[in-house]
Amino acid sequence: MLKQVEGSHAVAEAIALSRPQIICAYPITPQTHIVEGVGEMVKDGTLKNCEFINVESEFAALSVAIGASAAGARTYTATSSQGLLFMAEAVYNAAGLGLPIVMTIGNRAIGAPINIWNDHSDSMSMRDAGWIQLFAETNQEALDLHIQAFRLAEELSCPVMVCMDGFILTHAYDRVDVPSQEEVDAFLPPFEPRQILDPSAPVTIGAMVGPEAFTEVRYLAHHKQLRALTLIPQLSAEFEQRFGRASGGLIREYCTEGAETIVVSLGSINGTVQEVVDDMRADGAKIGSVSICSFRPFPLTALRDALQNAKRVVVLEKCLAVGLGGIVSDGVRKSLSGIQLKGYTVIAGLGGRAITRGSLRQLFEDAAADELEQVTFLDLNADVVAYELERESQARRTGPTAEAILKRLGTVSSKIG
Amino acid sequence: MEMQTVKFYQTGTFTVGNRLLDENERSVQANMERTNSLNSGHRACQGCGEALGARYAIDAAMRVTGDKLIAVNATGCLEVFSTPYPETSWQIPWIHSLFGNAAAVASGVAAAMRVTGRSDVRVVAQGGDGGTTDIGFGCLSGMFERNDDVLYICYDNEAYMNTGVQRSSATPPAARTATTMAVGKEPGNVFGTGKNVPLIAMAHHIPYVATASVANLRDLEFKVTRAMNVHGARYVHIHVPCPLGWGSAPADTIKVARMAVESGLFPLFEAEHGEVTGRTRIRHKVPVTEYLKLQKRFAHLFGKTPDQERLDQIQAIADKNIRTFGLIDTELAHG
Ligand SMILES: Cc1ncc(C[n+]2csc(CCOP(=O)(O)OP(=O)(O)O)c2C)c(N)n1
Ligand code: SF4
Ligand SMILES: [Mg+2]
């Protein structure tokens, strides 16, 4: 059924259609509307056979989820930013125990300085925790990916994070096609756990493992993710066949045929990138783009196939490996091992900084002319940076950097443009 | 002759009456059918109070629930000594997730039992004092506050034993640990610190809170049994001597535990919905020195010249407990 709803609401509907049995969460912007949505459906009886548990922290939220999942219940939670970091220990634990929990991340920057707006730092901080990480491009895809996520998680016995851009998707009203319960039931069978806490067949879960077997346990976790490289496209194809639209998969190519410059990015920014590609193509530029949906497992082969004939790759990232540069770029480079082509990293959209078509067009043109630095910070205000560096070189007690910059800019922090 | 109430109690041993009792009133451990939930062969030190306490507590919980029990364990000695891969001592469904989240994981298990139609299966969470009073405190308070159907058992050996005897918020004043060394002007753990989690549990007005000790195993079983016959959040705090961390003789574990109770340093009581409803009276009050002397962690209080000032302070703590909880049957004491 077509509906014009907020992204969070669309996701809440997808969760409800997936028949979770335990939902537990702790509020943090911009995840709140999703859990409020499902919470209401549990309370008013729309979502049956499900308990919604209000907990005292994100650490508890995921811990409750761990217990519920190990005891055989289909389990869901959601968080963002500081919340994801607060649950970090449990994030690794859920994956280590092989529990098929599904968690939405409403992507948001990490402080300090505290910032509620969108970037991908939060999900990226947990990229090696053992969760599958899928990035949604649109609200429709966010909805669809959640339904796929439960199936994927349960087939592999591995937790899945569905990442969607905070505000840009979570708070945007858009048209979505909400499938029927029958359609979802046909795609997503009831949860059949691989391991379960059950007095009639007692098992010990979470035993201490020493050097004699730790490597094997970790290898099997890696192997699981490698299997997902096959399973993710299969599920996406089956989903398309049943629901009549393409969603998910490892990567999506746009105008890559004959492209000399290919832009790689994750999430909602792909919409803007594609518009700029269209504009530049219309003017004769040989440019295309690739959207990475599955960041973990990282689709090395699919990317190599998509990128190897280009002359240059621009990786546009909403995250920063401080002291190194790109995070996504690392994987992209690995996928191109042995192939000679130019690679540029562009850090953009941090803490909600708007990524405009104008800036992107300029950027891509500079890239096409190979006039880009290895690492570029899109729309960096060089004056402010130079002023602050100068100030810090002049005196010892220069105070907190963020405040000094805001004072200089004379703007309030809610201005995101 | 006038009627006179006579109170009997045995001296020397407190295994009172197993043989004199009706079979179904005997202790769980006296029963051939006990479940041995924590089986032999685990790696606990000799004389480990925690291993003893856990065996009695879990077997008692198993009996109440007709063997329909799931245990959630925090990281700590109990978890480590019972599950060195590829072996496990647990004969029941058991999960270990993290150090600080046992209460929350247990809430999740209990909720899963409800939604999957297995409400007859009950849940116990267990952890050491560190996993309970320090790092797991947030999750514990959350579980209490939501009144989740979980019995949380704290095995209190008064320090972080698994990592090599460091101070926790349950470490008593003056005790030497690896992080409260017996050096300087105030050797050992400082006075006036720490927290009383049984009292904090009571402040949540949960249905049942009790303290217990491996010195009184029948009472321990009784309290776990009571706790399992109630629904909602429950808390049992068990005093479990650790020969390694306390520097006591492995053979003295029960004796040390008993001295803690009989001196008043570890009061045994029960509370329902935030009100104390029962206490175990002290039969022969002993001075705290009887307890302290058995443990090397307090050795610096004795030496050539005993540190009388600190010994008096510790005695005052015990006396205050006795007053607060009414641990001495005044009638008996005066009669
Ligand atoms: C987050 C975290 N911090 C620290 C540790 C290290 N650690 C493991 S067990 C333990 C001490 C456990 O003490 P307690 O809970 O009192 O149990 P005991 O071993 O004394 O029975 C510590 C500090 C850990 N596993 N996880
Ligand atoms: S260190 Fe203490 S608590 Fe740990 S196993 Fe040994 S005696 Fe038991
Ligand atoms: Mg301890």
Side-chain angles (χ1 to χ4, degrees):
Chain A
M1 200 209 308
L2 291 178
K3 287 187 179 177
Q4 182 76 20
V5 291
E6 195 195 35
S8 296
H9 186 97
V11 169
E13 292 224 21
I15 299 307
L17 287 166
S18 303
R19 299 188 187 275
Q21 292 163 301
I22 299 289
I23 299 170
C24 43
Y26 187 83
I28 182 166
T29 303
Q31 148 267 35
T32 40
H33 293 183
I34 301 173
V35 285
E36 288 161 10
V38 277
E40 191 173 348
M41 284 187 256
V42 173
K43 196 131 203 271
D44 72 12
T46 323
L47 178 47
K48 294 189 173 51
N49 299 321
C50 180
E51 258 193 50
F52 185 94
I53 304 171
N54 282 304
V55 288
E56 74 284 357
S57 75
E58 286 87 356
F59 178 64
L62 191 53
S63 298
V64 167
I66 286 170
S69 183
R74 182 172 286 166
T75 305
Y76 171 77
T77 185
T79 191
S80 298
S81 179
Q82 316 297 135
L84 183 61
L85 293 195
F86 201 80
M87 61 166 69
E89 198 192 4
V91 173
Y92 273 75
N93 191 254
L97 294 175
L99 298 172
I101 298 162
V102 171
M103 169 158 69
T104 310
I105 306 296
N107 285 122
R108 162 180 158 180
I110 290 173
I114 190 165
N115 173 301
I116 63 163
W117 307 105
N118 166 247
D119 69 33
H120 291 165
S121 310
D122 49 5
S123 291
M124 289 299 164
S125 75
M126 290 295 131
R127 65 188 181 276
D128 299 322
W131 289 57
I132 287 170
Q133 290 186 318
L134 307 175
F135 281 78
E137 230 180 280
T138 61
N139 285 354
Q140 181 70 61
E141 188 168 48
L143 184 157
D144 296 344
L145 280 180
H146 279 89
I147 298 167
Q148 294 183 30
F150 281 104
R151 172 95 180 263
L152 182 63
E154 289 168 15
E155 281 204 27
L156 291 170
S157 210
C158 177
V160 177
M161 246 179 236
V162 180
C163 312
M164 63 190 291
D165 286 312
F167 294 108
I168 299 168
L169 295 183
T170 55
H171 286 54
Y173 279 73
D174 206 351
R175 194 183 75 165
V176 288
D177 192 349
V178 182
S180 71
Q181 187 66 64
E182 292 70 38
E183 285 174 301
V184 175
D185 286 348
F187 178 78
L188 179 63
F191 177 31
E192 187 63 57
R194 215 174 242 289
Q195 52 179 349
I196 185 169
L197 293 166
D198 176 6
S200 62
V203 288
T204 292
I205 300 178
M208 173 139 202
V209 175
E212 67 284 355
F214 199 77
T215 305
E216 286 69 26
V217 174
R218 297 310 292 160
Y219 171 76
L220 287 170
H222 179 60
H223 185 262
K224 211 180 254 187
Q225 291 244 344
L226 298 185
R227 273 179 57 207
L229 284 173
T230 315
L231 193 54
I232 290 168
Q234 276 172 10
L235 287 182
S236 164
E238 186 189 329
F239 189 91
E240 182 169 5
Q241 188 217 333
R242 285 179 185 274
F243 297 84
R245 60 178 173 271
S247 275
L250 297 174
I251 63 168
R252 250 193 313 280
E253 298 182 44
Y254 187 76
C255 298
T256 47
E257 192 72 34
E260 292 180 354
T261 305
I262 298 182
V263 182
V264 178
S265 52
L266 279 67
S268 65
I269 190 58
N270 275 288
T272 317
V273 169
Q274 285 162 16
E275 284 175 9
V276 178
V277 166
D278 286 344
D279 291 348
M280 290 176 70
R281 279 262 170 189
D283 295 341
K286 290 180 177 166
I287 185 166
S289 67
V290 169
S291 163
I292 297 179
C293 176
S294 168
F295 186 68
R296 283 292 182 276
F298 194 79
L300 287 175
T301 311
L303 270 177
R304 187 182 178 89
D305 291 347
L307 302 177
Q308 61 183 345
N309 296 320
K311 288 195 172 144
R312 64 192 67 79
V313 176
V314 180
V315 183
L316 187 66
E317 321 200 14
K318 286 188 175 180
C319 51
L320 169 66
V322 183
L324 175 65
I327 295 174
V328 184
S329 311
D330 260 18
V332 172
R333 253 182 222 137
K334 205 166 283 163
S335 78
L336 295 169
S337 156
I339 297 173
Q340 284 292 324
L341 50 69
K342 294 201 166 67
Y344 302 105
T345 298
V346 181
I347 311 296
L350 295 188
R353 172 72 55 94
I355 305 176
T356 63
R357 280 166 71 167
S359 297
L360 284 185
R361 174 144 193 166
Q362 184 63 54
L363 178 85
F364 298 161
E365 283 172 2
D366 289 349
D370 289 321
E371 282 167 4
L372 270 190
E373 304 275 327
Q374 274 288 304
V375 179
T376 304
F377 285 74
L378 188 70
D379 293 335
L380 182 77
N381 187 333
D383 288 347
V384 167
V385 171
Y387 178 82
E388 184 60 14
L389 290 176
E390 173 63 17
R391 212 174 62 83
E392 284 176 7
S393 73
Q394 295 302 319
R396 180 68 206 161
R397 185 171 294 194
T398 48
T401 306
E403 276 78 350
I405 289 181
L406 287 178
K407 222 182 268 172
R408 168 113 182 121
L409 284 172
T411 56
V412 291
S413 56
S414 59
K415 184 182 164 195
I416 53 171
Chain B
M1 202 173 94
E2 214 183 310
M3 268 274 279
Q4 212 180 336
T5 315
V6 180
K7 295 198 177 183
F8 284 104
Y9 57 86
Q10 275 174 275
T11 54
T13 167
F14 290 118
T15 55
V16 73
N18 247 342
R19 278 158 300 144
L20 307 178
L21 289 172
D22 194 65
E23 203 147 329
N24 57 21
E25 281 176 31
R26 289 185 193 173
S27 75
V28 176
Q29 289 299 315
N31 192 322
M32 299 267 281
E33 251 109 73
R34 65 168 188 252
T35 45
N36 290 322
S37 310
L38 176 63
N39 225 342
S40 59
H42 56 68
R43 315 294 212 258
C45 312
Q46 251 189 359
C48 173
E50 187 161 288
L52 180 65
R55 189 158 77 92
Y56 272 69
I58 300 299
D59 278 356
M62 282 287 274
R63 180 147 97 175
V64 182
T65 57
D67 299 351
K68 288 188 174 164
L69 187 74
I70 293 173
V72 177
N73 219 121
T75 313
C77 267
L78 178 59
E79 167 262 332
V80 170
F81 73 61
S82 65
T83 66
Y85 178 89
E87 295 158 5
T88 177
S89 279
W90 295 102
Q91 307 302 304
I92 59 171
W94 180 95
I95 184 170
H96 159 246
S97 171
L98 296 168
F99 189 18
N101 71 355
V105 172
S107 293
V109 175
M113 291 304 122
R114 279 194 299 275
V115 287
T116 57
R118 291 176 285 164
S119 298
D120 54 332
V121 178
R122 307 290 300 284
V123 186
V124 168
Q126 48 185 356
D129 49 293
T132 305
T133 72
D134 288 336
I135 201 167
F137 190 63
C139 286
L140 184 70
S141 175
M143 185 276 279
F144 286 164
E145 168 276 317
R146 291 187 302 270
N147 199 24
D148 288 332
D149 191 21
V150 171
L151 166 61
Y152 190 103
I153 302 175
C154 170
Y155 300 104
D156 181 6
N157 52 24
E158 303 185 338
Y160 295 113
M161 295 313 176
N162 187 53
T163 35
V165 199
Q166 295 85 11
R167 176 201 186 270
S168 80
S169 62
T171 301
R176 178 203 67 197
T177 68
T179 49
T180 54
M181 308 78 174
V183 295
K185 266 203 256 163
E186 262 195 84
N189 195 28
V190 287
F191 282 71
T193 60
K195 62 177 108 155
N196 188 323
V197 173
L199 294 184
I200 298 172
M202 282 168 59
H204 290 75
H205 294 272
I206 56 176
Y208 187 74
V209 173
T211 58
S213 164
V214 290
N216 197 340
L217 290 161
R218 190 72 188 92
D219 180 65
L220 189 164
E221 283 185 346
F222 170 80
K223 283 167 175 166
V224 171
T225 304
R226 271 202 85 175
M228 290 312 290
N229 277 319
V230 179
H231 282 267
R234 291 142 291 142
Y235 182 70
V236 175
H237 189 108
I238 307 178
H239 200 226
V240 290
C242 162
L244 183 126
W246 295 11
S248 52
D252 278 349
T253 293
I254 304 292
K255 184 174 174 190
V256 171
R258 184 176 307 138
M259 292 301 114
V261 172
E262 300 287 287
S263 63
L265 280 175
F266 192 85
L268 296 181
F269 65 93
E270 285 180 291
E272 289 166 56
H273 301 284
E275 271 180 67
V276 174
T277 51
R279 74 276 293 147
T280 305
R281 310 275 187 204
I282 292 173
R283 291 166 174 176
H284 316 278
K285 187 185 170 198
V286 296
V288 292
T289 46
E290 294 297 300
Y291 169 66
L292 303 172
K293 266 189 326 203
L294 296 169
Q295 308 167 55
K296 290 207 187 76
R297 63 176 173 157
F298 294 112
H300 57 276
L301 295 178
F302 299 97
K304 275 200 200 106
T305 44
D307 186 340
Q308 202 52 50
E309 193 187 330
R310 288 197 175 80
L311 289 172
D312 289 347
Q313 275 180 286
I314 298 173
Q315 186 61 55
I317 293 169
D319 292 342
K320 187 174 169 209
N321 282 342
I322 291 170
R323 282 197 310 276
T324 312
F325 292 96
L327 298 178
I328 291 189
D329 193 333
T330 41
E331 218 180 291
L332 222 171
H334 296 151

